[in-house]
Short mmCIF file of all heavy atoms in Angstrom, two decimals:
data_model
loop_
_atom_site.label_atom_id
_atom_site.label_comp_id
_atom_site.label_asym_id
_atom_site.label_seq_id
_atom_site.Cartn_x
_atom_site.Cartn_y
_atom_site.Cartn_z
N LEU A 1339 85.70 84.81 125.71
CA LEU A 1339 85.93 84.10 126.98
C LEU A 1339 85.49 82.64 126.86
O LEU A 1339 86.16 81.74 127.39
CB LEU A 1339 85.19 84.80 128.12
CG LEU A 1339 85.79 86.12 128.60
CD1 LEU A 1339 84.88 86.76 129.67
CD2 LEU A 1339 87.20 85.91 129.16
N ARG A 1340 84.41 82.41 126.17
CA ARG A 1340 83.95 81.02 125.96
C ARG A 1340 84.95 80.22 125.13
O ARG A 1340 85.04 79.01 125.27
CB ARG A 1340 82.59 81.01 125.25
CG ARG A 1340 81.43 81.42 126.13
CD ARG A 1340 80.12 80.95 125.54
NE ARG A 1340 80.09 79.50 125.37
CZ ARG A 1340 79.05 78.82 124.87
NH1 ARG A 1340 77.96 79.48 124.47
NH2 ARG A 1340 79.08 77.53 124.74
N GLN A 1341 85.67 80.94 124.26
CA GLN A 1341 86.69 80.29 123.44
C GLN A 1341 88.02 80.16 124.17
O GLN A 1341 89.00 79.69 123.59
CB GLN A 1341 86.90 81.08 122.14
CG GLN A 1341 85.65 81.32 121.34
CD GLN A 1341 84.95 80.04 120.95
OE1 GLN A 1341 85.58 79.13 120.41
NE2 GLN A 1341 83.65 79.94 121.24
N GLY A 1342 88.08 80.60 125.41
CA GLY A 1342 89.32 80.53 126.17
C GLY A 1342 90.27 81.67 125.90
O GLY A 1342 91.42 81.64 126.34
N ARG A 1343 89.80 82.72 125.22
CA ARG A 1343 90.65 83.87 124.88
C ARG A 1343 90.60 84.90 126.00
O ARG A 1343 90.10 86.01 125.82
CB ARG A 1343 90.19 84.48 123.56
CG ARG A 1343 90.38 83.61 122.33
CD ARG A 1343 91.86 83.54 121.92
NE ARG A 1343 92.43 84.85 121.84
CZ ARG A 1343 92.26 85.68 120.78
NH1 ARG A 1343 91.55 85.29 119.75
NH2 ARG A 1343 92.83 86.87 120.78
N THR A 1344 91.09 84.55 127.14
CA THR A 1344 91.02 85.45 128.29
C THR A 1344 91.89 86.69 128.12
O THR A 1344 91.66 87.71 128.78
CB THR A 1344 91.44 84.72 129.57
OG1 THR A 1344 92.76 84.17 129.39
CG2 THR A 1344 90.48 83.57 129.89
N GLU A 1345 92.89 86.61 127.25
CA GLU A 1345 93.80 87.73 127.05
C GLU A 1345 93.26 88.76 126.06
O GLU A 1345 93.82 89.85 125.92
CB GLU A 1345 95.15 87.22 126.55
CG GLU A 1345 95.25 86.95 125.05
CD GLU A 1345 94.41 85.76 124.55
OE1 GLU A 1345 93.94 84.96 125.40
OE2 GLU A 1345 94.22 85.63 123.33
N ALA A 1346 92.17 88.43 125.37
CA ALA A 1346 91.68 89.29 124.29
C ALA A 1346 91.06 90.58 124.80
O ALA A 1346 90.97 91.56 124.06
CB ALA A 1346 90.66 88.53 123.44
N TYR A 1347 90.63 90.59 126.06
CA TYR A 1347 90.01 91.78 126.64
C TYR A 1347 90.65 92.10 127.98
O TYR A 1347 90.99 91.20 128.75
CB TYR A 1347 88.51 91.58 126.84
CG TYR A 1347 87.66 92.15 125.73
CD1 TYR A 1347 87.33 91.39 124.62
CD2 TYR A 1347 87.17 93.45 125.80
CE1 TYR A 1347 86.54 91.90 123.60
CE2 TYR A 1347 86.38 93.98 124.79
CZ TYR A 1347 86.07 93.20 123.69
OH TYR A 1347 85.28 93.73 122.68
N ASP A 1348 90.82 93.38 128.25
CA ASP A 1348 91.18 93.87 129.56
C ASP A 1348 90.13 94.92 129.92
O ASP A 1348 89.97 95.91 129.18
CB ASP A 1348 92.58 94.48 129.55
CG ASP A 1348 93.00 95.02 130.90
OD1 ASP A 1348 92.57 96.15 131.23
OD2 ASP A 1348 93.74 94.34 131.62
N VAL A 1349 89.41 94.70 131.00
CA VAL A 1349 88.29 95.58 131.33
C VAL A 1349 88.74 97.02 131.51
O VAL A 1349 88.09 97.96 131.03
CB VAL A 1349 87.58 95.08 132.61
CG1 VAL A 1349 86.51 96.07 133.04
CG2 VAL A 1349 86.95 93.72 132.36
N ARG A 1350 89.88 97.23 132.15
CA ARG A 1350 90.37 98.59 132.37
C ARG A 1350 90.67 99.27 131.04
O ARG A 1350 90.34 100.45 130.83
CB ARG A 1350 91.62 98.58 133.25
CG ARG A 1350 91.40 98.07 134.66
CD ARG A 1350 92.73 97.96 135.37
NE ARG A 1350 93.67 97.14 134.59
CZ ARG A 1350 94.98 97.13 134.77
NH1 ARG A 1350 95.54 97.92 135.68
NH2 ARG A 1350 95.75 96.34 134.04
N GLU A 1351 91.29 98.54 130.14
CA GLU A 1351 91.60 99.11 128.83
C GLU A 1351 90.33 99.40 128.05
O GLU A 1351 90.22 100.45 127.39
CB GLU A 1351 92.50 98.17 128.04
CG GLU A 1351 92.89 98.72 126.67
CD GLU A 1351 93.75 97.76 125.88
OE1 GLU A 1351 93.20 96.74 125.41
OE2 GLU A 1351 94.95 98.03 125.73
N SER A 1352 89.37 98.50 128.11
CA SER A 1352 88.11 98.71 127.40
C SER A 1352 87.40 99.96 127.90
O SER A 1352 86.84 100.74 127.11
CB SER A 1352 87.21 97.48 127.54
OG SER A 1352 87.80 96.35 126.94
N LEU A 1353 87.41 100.16 129.22
CA LEU A 1353 86.80 101.37 129.78
C LEU A 1353 87.54 102.62 129.32
O LEU A 1353 86.93 103.66 129.03
CB LEU A 1353 86.79 101.29 131.30
CG LEU A 1353 85.83 100.25 131.91
CD1 LEU A 1353 86.02 100.18 133.42
CD2 LEU A 1353 84.39 100.56 131.56
N ALA A 1354 88.88 102.52 129.23
CA ALA A 1354 89.67 103.65 128.72
C ALA A 1354 89.31 103.92 127.26
O ALA A 1354 89.20 105.09 126.85
CB ALA A 1354 91.16 103.35 128.86
N ASN A 1355 89.13 102.86 126.48
CA ASN A 1355 88.77 103.03 125.08
C ASN A 1355 87.41 103.71 124.93
O ASN A 1355 87.22 104.59 124.08
CB ASN A 1355 88.75 101.67 124.38
CG ASN A 1355 90.12 101.04 124.30
OD1 ASN A 1355 91.14 101.70 124.52
ND2 ASN A 1355 90.16 99.75 124.00
N ILE A 1356 86.46 103.30 125.74
CA ILE A 1356 85.14 103.92 125.71
C ILE A 1356 85.24 105.39 126.11
O ILE A 1356 84.59 106.26 125.53
CB ILE A 1356 84.17 103.16 126.63
CG1 ILE A 1356 83.91 101.76 126.06
CG2 ILE A 1356 82.85 103.91 126.79
CD1 ILE A 1356 83.18 100.83 127.01
N GLY A 1357 86.09 105.67 127.10
CA GLY A 1357 86.29 107.05 127.53
C GLY A 1357 86.88 107.92 126.43
O GLY A 1357 86.43 109.05 126.21
N THR A 1358 87.90 107.41 125.74
CA THR A 1358 88.48 108.19 124.64
C THR A 1358 87.47 108.39 123.53
O THR A 1358 87.43 109.46 122.91
CB THR A 1358 89.74 107.51 124.07
OG1 THR A 1358 89.38 106.23 123.50
CG2 THR A 1358 90.82 107.31 125.12
N GLY A 1359 86.63 107.38 123.29
CA GLY A 1359 85.62 107.51 122.26
C GLY A 1359 84.62 108.60 122.57
O GLY A 1359 84.21 109.36 121.68
N PHE A 1360 84.23 108.71 123.83
CA PHE A 1360 83.29 109.76 124.22
C PHE A 1360 83.93 111.14 124.09
O PHE A 1360 83.32 112.07 123.56
CB PHE A 1360 82.81 109.54 125.66
CG PHE A 1360 81.80 110.54 126.12
CD1 PHE A 1360 80.47 110.39 125.75
CD2 PHE A 1360 82.16 111.63 126.89
CE1 PHE A 1360 79.52 111.32 126.16
CE2 PHE A 1360 81.23 112.56 127.30
CZ PHE A 1360 79.90 112.40 126.93
N ILE A 1361 85.17 111.28 124.55
CA ILE A 1361 85.88 112.56 124.43
C ILE A 1361 86.02 112.95 122.96
O ILE A 1361 85.82 114.11 122.58
CB ILE A 1361 87.27 112.47 125.10
CG1 ILE A 1361 87.12 112.28 126.61
CG2 ILE A 1361 88.09 113.72 124.81
CD1 ILE A 1361 88.43 111.96 127.31
N TYR A 1362 86.35 111.97 122.13
CA TYR A 1362 86.50 112.23 120.70
C TYR A 1362 85.20 112.74 120.09
O TYR A 1362 85.19 113.73 119.35
CB TYR A 1362 86.94 110.94 119.99
CG TYR A 1362 86.50 110.84 118.56
CD1 TYR A 1362 87.04 111.68 117.58
CD2 TYR A 1362 85.55 109.90 118.16
CE1 TYR A 1362 86.62 111.59 116.26
CE2 TYR A 1362 85.14 109.81 116.85
CZ TYR A 1362 85.67 110.65 115.89
OH TYR A 1362 85.25 110.56 114.60
N LYS A 1363 84.10 112.08 120.42
CA LYS A 1363 82.84 112.42 119.76
C LYS A 1363 82.35 113.81 120.17
O LYS A 1363 81.85 114.58 119.35
CB LYS A 1363 81.78 111.36 120.07
CG LYS A 1363 80.68 111.31 119.05
CD LYS A 1363 81.27 110.96 117.69
CE LYS A 1363 80.34 111.39 116.56
NZ LYS A 1363 81.00 111.25 115.25
N VAL A 1364 82.50 114.12 121.46
CA VAL A 1364 82.10 115.45 121.93
C VAL A 1364 83.00 116.52 121.32
O VAL A 1364 82.53 117.56 120.83
CB VAL A 1364 82.14 115.51 123.46
CG1 VAL A 1364 81.91 116.94 123.94
CG2 VAL A 1364 81.09 114.58 124.05
N GLY A 1365 84.31 116.28 121.32
CA GLY A 1365 85.24 117.23 120.72
C GLY A 1365 85.00 117.42 119.24
O GLY A 1365 85.09 118.54 118.71
N ASP A 1366 84.68 116.32 118.56
CA ASP A 1366 84.40 116.38 117.13
C ASP A 1366 83.17 117.25 116.86
O ASP A 1366 83.16 118.06 115.92
CB ASP A 1366 84.18 114.96 116.61
CG ASP A 1366 83.89 114.92 115.11
OD1 ASP A 1366 84.76 115.34 114.33
OD2 ASP A 1366 82.80 114.47 114.74
N ALA A 1367 82.14 117.10 117.68
CA ALA A 1367 80.92 117.89 117.51
C ALA A 1367 81.20 119.37 117.75
O ALA A 1367 80.73 120.23 116.99
CB ALA A 1367 79.84 117.40 118.47
N LEU A 1368 81.95 119.68 118.79
CA LEU A 1368 82.28 121.07 119.08
C LEU A 1368 83.09 121.70 117.96
O LEU A 1368 82.87 122.85 117.58
CB LEU A 1368 83.03 121.16 120.41
CG LEU A 1368 82.22 120.80 121.66
CD1 LEU A 1368 83.12 120.78 122.89
CD2 LEU A 1368 81.06 121.76 121.85
N PHE A 1369 84.04 120.94 117.42
CA PHE A 1369 84.85 121.45 116.31
C PHE A 1369 83.99 121.74 115.10
O PHE A 1369 84.15 122.75 114.41
CB PHE A 1369 85.95 120.47 115.95
CG PHE A 1369 86.76 120.88 114.75
CD1 PHE A 1369 87.80 121.79 114.88
CD2 PHE A 1369 86.45 120.39 113.49
CE1 PHE A 1369 88.53 122.20 113.77
CE2 PHE A 1369 87.18 120.79 112.38
CZ PHE A 1369 88.22 121.69 112.52
N LEU A 1370 83.04 120.84 114.82
CA LEU A 1370 82.18 121.03 113.66
C LEU A 1370 81.35 122.30 113.78
O LEU A 1370 81.16 123.03 112.81
CB LEU A 1370 81.25 119.81 113.51
CG LEU A 1370 80.37 119.78 112.25
CD1 LEU A 1370 81.22 119.80 110.99
CD2 LEU A 1370 79.45 118.57 112.27
N ILE A 1371 80.90 122.58 115.00
CA ILE A 1371 80.11 123.80 115.22
C ILE A 1371 80.97 125.05 115.08
O ILE A 1371 80.60 126.02 114.42
CB ILE A 1371 79.46 123.76 116.62
CG1 ILE A 1371 78.38 122.68 116.66
CG2 ILE A 1371 78.87 125.11 116.98
CD1 ILE A 1371 77.84 122.44 118.04
N VAL A 1372 82.16 125.04 115.70
CA VAL A 1372 82.99 126.24 115.77
C VAL A 1372 83.69 126.53 114.46
O VAL A 1372 83.72 127.66 113.98
CB VAL A 1372 84.02 126.11 116.91
CG1 VAL A 1372 84.99 127.28 116.91
CG2 VAL A 1372 83.32 126.00 118.26
N ALA A 1373 84.27 125.53 113.84
CA ALA A 1373 85.11 125.78 112.67
C ALA A 1373 84.74 124.93 111.46
O ALA A 1373 84.77 125.41 110.32
CB ALA A 1373 86.59 125.54 113.03
N GLY A 1374 84.41 123.68 111.69
CA GLY A 1374 84.19 122.76 110.57
C GLY A 1374 83.05 123.17 109.66
O GLY A 1374 83.18 123.16 108.44
N SER A 1375 81.91 123.53 110.26
CA SER A 1375 80.77 123.91 109.44
C SER A 1375 81.04 125.18 108.64
O SER A 1375 80.63 125.31 107.48
CB SER A 1375 79.52 124.08 110.30
OG SER A 1375 79.74 125.06 111.30
N ALA A 1376 81.76 126.13 109.26
CA ALA A 1376 82.09 127.37 108.55
C ALA A 1376 82.99 127.09 107.36
O ALA A 1376 82.80 127.65 106.27
CB ALA A 1376 82.77 128.35 109.51
N ALA A 1377 84.00 126.22 107.56
CA ALA A 1377 84.90 125.86 106.47
C ALA A 1377 84.14 125.15 105.35
O ALA A 1377 84.34 125.43 104.16
CB ALA A 1377 86.03 124.98 106.99
#
């Protein structure tokens, strides 16, 4: 923003990205417990 790059971030999209990251990490942990570790 200091560089004038106002288009580089969209707050709604960033929140969506953080949300997908949280879903991914929890799902990844559950998969590791249920199937990944056994494999």
Side-chain angles (χ1 to χ4, degrees):
L1339 286 175
R1340 287 199 59 180
Q1341 305 302 309
R1343 293 286 310 280
T1344 57
E1345 83 292 346
Y1347 263 89
D1348 180 279
V1349 174
R1350 296 173 306 163
E1351 182 181 71
S1352 296
L1353 291 174
N1355 294 345
I1356 293 169
T1358 63
F1360 182 80
I1361 294 171
Y1362 152 69
K1363 203 61 201 171
V1364 172
D1366 181 62
L1368 293 174
F1369 175 82
L1370 186 60
I1371 291 172
V1372 174
S1375 58

